[in-house]
Amino acid sequence: MDTGRWILYRPGQAAARRRGLFSRGRRARQLALNGMIMDGERPGGYVLSGELAPPAAKDPVRRVEPLLRAMDQLDGRVLCVERGERFFSPGERMALAREGVRLAQSEPLRQISLFPAAMQAAREMQLRLVLSPALIVGADTPEGREWAMLLGDRMNFMGLCGSNPYALERLSDRLMDSFGLAAPIYRNLERAAAASRIVIFADVAPKPMLGALQPGTLAILTHPDDQRALPVPQGVQLLGGGRVAMPETVAAPLGLSSSEQHLVAQGWLYGTSALAGDARRLPLRARIRLWREMEADGFFLKGGGA
């Protein structure tokens, strides 16, 4: 069962036990090996699921030793654990890094899926980009400028917010020269947010501004720090990326859950490019190109945030 590049091999529980991939103890929860991500016949990494124990305080390497012993059998050195940064202590992550094991986290994939997920969400919400007033908060940052230039030929209404008036004025002039788009600069952020149907937070989203959003607004969160519970008015959709899934013809016979499919996509991403591990440093257009490559290999966006 092949997605075009990656397949998933799921060993039985008995084989997983023999490899020592179950952590036992009063405080420890079970760790189960779901399978190996394969590139053809070459192992690419592990998919790990189950409830993980809290980070060990006394012996930070103890929990990862069974994983390292098992991964010694593989050429691939990627460990895919969704939001693994919450479950492994700094000492454990360092122990993995010393052995050449990369911990595949959801943040790079979230960044790469963000733009196509935003376009999909706008269609589902029946937001016509050309007619929907948009606001870019943090438009004076590199991320904000990229979003503005990427959307400049898709919209008739765009407002800019930020702390550097000179950078905002330059961006406004550039949008006019490039697209004939008049992009006013707003200083009253709450009022500007209330008047917009699409709000892109190119930096950390200010809580008072989130509270000013009107029902039916699509709020796009690009900053990693915004992946937390935020107070949002009813009827506002927060988007921090798309849930990535495999073709049903592959996923269904394997019995993969939504989160497991997402982990396979993360393994694909880490196997494709070392740069993808720090996707926020990639230009937005490069992230979109990387997403197109994932689509060509059979991955697609499925509802929910990453």
Side-chain angles (χ1 to χ4, degrees), residues 125-142:
M125 295 176 69
Q126 298 181 337
L127 292 174
R128 293 185 60 189
L129 294 186
V130 69
L131 297 177
S132 300
L135 178 70
I136 299 183
V137 183
D140 52 341
T141 65

Side-chain angles (χ1 to χ4, degrees), residues 1-23:
M1 283 165 284
D2 199 334
T3 66
R5 176 173 179 177
W6 291 98
I7 62 175
L8 188 74
Y9 166 67
R10 293 167 63 86
Q13 191 177 79
R17 284 185 189 278
R18 285 196 300 272
R19 290 176 179 168
L21 289 175
F22 287 83
S23 177

Side-chain angles (χ1 to χ4, degrees), residues 62-255:
R62 184 177 176 185
R63 286 196 315 154
V64 301
E65 284 178 345
L67 297 176
L68 292 173
R69 285 199 301 271
M71 292 186 76
D72 281 341
Q73 304 171 22
L74 291 181
D75 294 328
R77 307 296 286 174
V78 179
L79 179 62
C80 299
V81 185
E82 189 161 18
R83 303 194 188 280
E85 68 276 9
R86 297 185 179 182
F87 300 107
F88 289 103
S89 69
E92 289 170 330
R93 292 197 293 271
M94 191 176 297
L96 290 170
R98 279 198 301 267
E99 297 297 323
V101 176
R102 289 180 292 171
L103 183 63
Q105 300 176 14
S106 57
E107 172 58 26
L109 186 56
R110 185 185 78 85
Q111 290 289 342
I112 283 167
S113 66
L114 185 54
F115 183 81
M119 298 300 101
Q120 179 174 302
R123 288 193 297 271
E124 292 173 356
M125 295 176 69
Q126 298 181 337
L127 292 174
R128 293 185 60 189
L129 294 186
V130 69
L131 297 177
S132 300
L135 178 70
I136 299 183
V137 183
D140 52 341
T141 65
E143 187 87 2
R145 289 194 294 273
E146 283 196 78
W147 276 92
M149 295 304 295
L150 195 61
L151 294 174
D153 61 348
R154 300 169 186 249
M155 318 198 80
N156 287 337
F157 307 96
M158 182 187 295
L160 308 176
C161 288
S163 57
N164 186 333
Y166 302 105
L168 294 174
E169 288 170 8
R170 287 196 300 272
L171 178 59
S172 182
D173 291 342
R174 187 179 174 190
L175 289 168
M176 175 59 75
D177 293 341
S178 301
F179 310 110
L181 176 63
I185 298 168
Y186 292 100
R187 288 174 175 79
N188 189 319
L189 303 189
E190 287 80 5
R191 184 177 298 176
S196 303
R197 295 292 309 281
I198 300 173
V199 180
I200 300 166
F201 293 96
D203 208 340
V204 178
K207 288 186 179 180
M209 198 167 184
L210 285 171
L213 298 176
Q214 298 300 303
T217 301
L218 172 63
I220 300 170
L221 307 175
T222 72
H223 200 279
D225 290 348
D226 284 328
Q227 292 306 291
R228 62 184 189 277
L230 293 169
V232 183
Q234 189 173 5
V236 173
Q237 179 173 343
L238 286 186
L239 183 72
R243 173 69 68 180
V244 176
M246 299 166 67
E248 288 298 323
T249 53
V250 177
L254 289 172

